[in-house]
Structure formats: structure tokens, C-alpha cells
């Protein structure tokens, strides 16, 4: 009989089912800021680094033109500690590509990693199988991310991964002790843009090339 068990529960002599071959892709893991909506406000040390690289490679007026804004607006973004629209981070990264496991901060002390992580791949895998993105037509965006899981180990691992990746504490539905959720428009949109459909998931979802 076939059954699902964790790898650490395997014993000597157990047999496992596996594909005879696995197609491997050379597609580079994505920069996650590219999957965030342009108007999402972000901040963090990465932005300071990008402006530092810019100051070493040209004048403020040049980079203001590259970003499509006035010199005054550019300097305001450069020297203030306020959040800035993600579109400007995307444009600066196109000029100064950075490959670093840093995070960008969102509102309410939440965050998103700049690059794909093992925890994020785990989250996507769970949500692909037993998750759901609740889409609000009124707001035109994802408002809630939901996972159903009865296994305590999966619940704990998922909670830890969400906390580490997004700095969010998941909540449990009072009406269903095996369903967990958190609310975040930027993160919901990120997960959707990466791979997760809004509805009819089983007929639409695919394994993205960067995951192979």
C-alpha cells in the first residue's frame, strides 16, 4: 500500500516511488521585487545601497531621468527614510543588479525577500496543494491567504516559514481548527504573480521553470 510519510520517518528497507526522470531547467530564480505591484511602498537597507551605487556612478540628474522623475523628487527619495514605490526600486535594480538574500520592508513591519528562498518555495508548495488566495473584486487584489492542514508538523513548519519569510503570525479560523490565514495585499499579489491562481487552481496551476 502507498502512503505519504516524511523523509525522516523512512526506515532501512522502505521503498519509495519516484519519477524515472526529472526535467531540470536553467531558468534563473526570479528577483521577487519584479512580482510586486509598482505602487507598493517598500523600504530597507537595499534601497540605501542602491542610492549609494548611483552616487558613485553618476549625478542625481542622470538617475532622476532614468527613473522618469524630477531631480528634486529623486533627491527626496534618496535622502528621506520614507517608503518608496516599488517601481523605483525595480528601475534602480535594472541599473545596479544586486544578488543578495536581503529583504524589503512593507507596511505593518512585514517584509518580502528579494530572492527566492527555501522557505518561500515550501510555502508555495503547500499553498499550491492545500491553499487558497481569496480575491476581492471590490479592491481588485488578493486580500487573504488561506491554508488547510490537519498535520501538526505541517502547521508548525508553515507557521515558522511564514514568520521567517514575511514576518507575519498566521491565525486560525475559529470555525475550522485546521484552516489558517493571514491578510496581506502585497504578499497575496506576490504569490499570485509567482504561480498561484485565484480560483480553479487544479486546472490552472503549473510548476514554474525556476522551480525545476
Amino acid at each position: 500500500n502507498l502512503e505519504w510519510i516524511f523523509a525522516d520517518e523512512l526506515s532501512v528497507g522502505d521503498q519509495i516511488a519516484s519519477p524515472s526522470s526529472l526535467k531540470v531547467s536553467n531558468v534563473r530564480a526570479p528577483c521577487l521585487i519584479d512580482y510586486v505591484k509598482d505602487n507598493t511602498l517598500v523600504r530597507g537597507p537595499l534601497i540605501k545601497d542602491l542610492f549609494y551605487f548611483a552616487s558613485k556612478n553618476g549625478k542625481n540628474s542622470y538617475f532622476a531621468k532614468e527613473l522618469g522623475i524630477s531631480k528634486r523628487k529623486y533627491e527626496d527619495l534618496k535622502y528621506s527614510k520614507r517608503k518608496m514605490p516599488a517601481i523605483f526600486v525595480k528601475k534602480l535594480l535594472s541599473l545596479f543588479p544586486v544578488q543578495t538574500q536581503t529583504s524589503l520592508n512593507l507596511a505593518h513591519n512585514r517584509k518580502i525577500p528579494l530572492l527566492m528562498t527555501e522557505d518561500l518555495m515550501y510555502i508555495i508548495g503547500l499553498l499550491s496543494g492545500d491553499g487558497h488566495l481569496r480575491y476581492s473584486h471590490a479592491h481588485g487584489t488578493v486580500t487573504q491567504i488561506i491554508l488547510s492542514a490537519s498535520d501538526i508538523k505541517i502547521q508548525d513548519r508553515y507557521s515558522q516559514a511564514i514568520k521567517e519569510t514575511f514576518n507575519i503570525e498566521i491565525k486560525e479560523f475559529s470555525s475550522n481548527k485546521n484552516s489558517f490565514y493571514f491578510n496581506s495585499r502585497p504578499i497575496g499579489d506576490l504569490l499570485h504573480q509567482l504561480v498561484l491562481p485565484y480560483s480553479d487552481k487544479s486546472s490552472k496551476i503549473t510548476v514554474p521553470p525556476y522551480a525545476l
Side-chain angles (χ1 to χ4, degrees), residues 10-14:
L10 288 170
S11 302
V12 176
D14 286 346

Side-chain angles (χ1 to χ4, degrees), residues 107-154:
H108 309 298
N109 293 319
R110 297 173 178 183
K111 64 179 183 177
I112 57 169
L114 183 64
L115 302 176
M116 186 63 69
T117 66
E118 182 178 339
D119 278 343
L120 182 52
M121 291 294 287
Y122 180 79
I123 292 167
I124 290 172
L126 284 181
L127 293 174
S128 296
D130 297 305
H132 173 67
L133 300 182
R134 179 167 291 171
Y135 182 83
S136 169
H137 291 281
H139 297 96
T141 184
V142 175
T143 55
Q144 195 170 73
I145 299 87
I146 303 168
L147 175 74
S148 298
S150 58
D151 190 296
I152 298 299
K153 289 184 179 179
I154 292 178

Side-chain angles (χ1 to χ4, degrees), residues 32-163:
L32 299 185
I33 190 68
D34 292 333
Y35 294 83
V36 173
K37 286 188 174 181
D38 289 348
N39 61 352
T40 300
L41 297 178
V42 297
R43 66 181 176 190
L46 172 66
I47 296 175
K48 182 179 179 180
D49 291 343
L50 289 172
F51 278 120
Y52 172 78
F53 295 146
S55 66
K56 294 294 183 181
N57 288 275
K59 296 182 178 180
N60 289 349
S61 57
Y62 169 78
F63 290 106
K65 183 177 180 180
E66 289 293 314
L67 268 59
I69 56 179
S70 67
K71 179 183 176 183
R72 182 175 180 178
K73 176 66 174 178
Y74 177 84
E75 291 175 344
D76 181 51
L77 292 172
K78 180 177 180 179
Y79 297 114
S80 73
K81 295 183 179 180
R82 293 176 296 175
K83 296 182 181 72
M84 61 187 289
I87 181 62
F88 298 130
V89 181
K90 295 177 186 181
K91 290 183 177 181
L92 286 171
L93 279 170
S94 70
L95 299 172
F96 306 104
V98 176
Q99 295 293 317
T100 177
Q101 284 294 357
T102 189
S103 297
L104 287 168
N105 299 326
L106 304 172
H108 309 298
N109 293 319
R110 297 173 178 183
K111 64 179 183 177
I112 57 169
L114 183 64
L115 302 176
M116 186 63 69
T117 66
E118 182 178 339
D119 278 343
L120 182 52
M121 291 294 287
Y122 180 79
I123 292 167
I124 290 172
L126 284 181
L127 293 174
S128 296
D130 297 305
H132 173 67
L133 300 182
R134 179 167 291 171
Y135 182 83
S136 169
H137 291 281
H139 297 96
T141 184
V142 175
T143 55
Q144 195 170 73
I145 299 87
I146 303 168
L147 175 74
S148 298
S150 58
D151 190 296
I152 298 299
K153 289 184 179 179
I154 292 178
Q155 293 175 8
D156 291 344
R157 178 71 177 87
Y158 177 71
S159 176
Q160 179 184 6
I162 292 292
K163 177 65 175 178

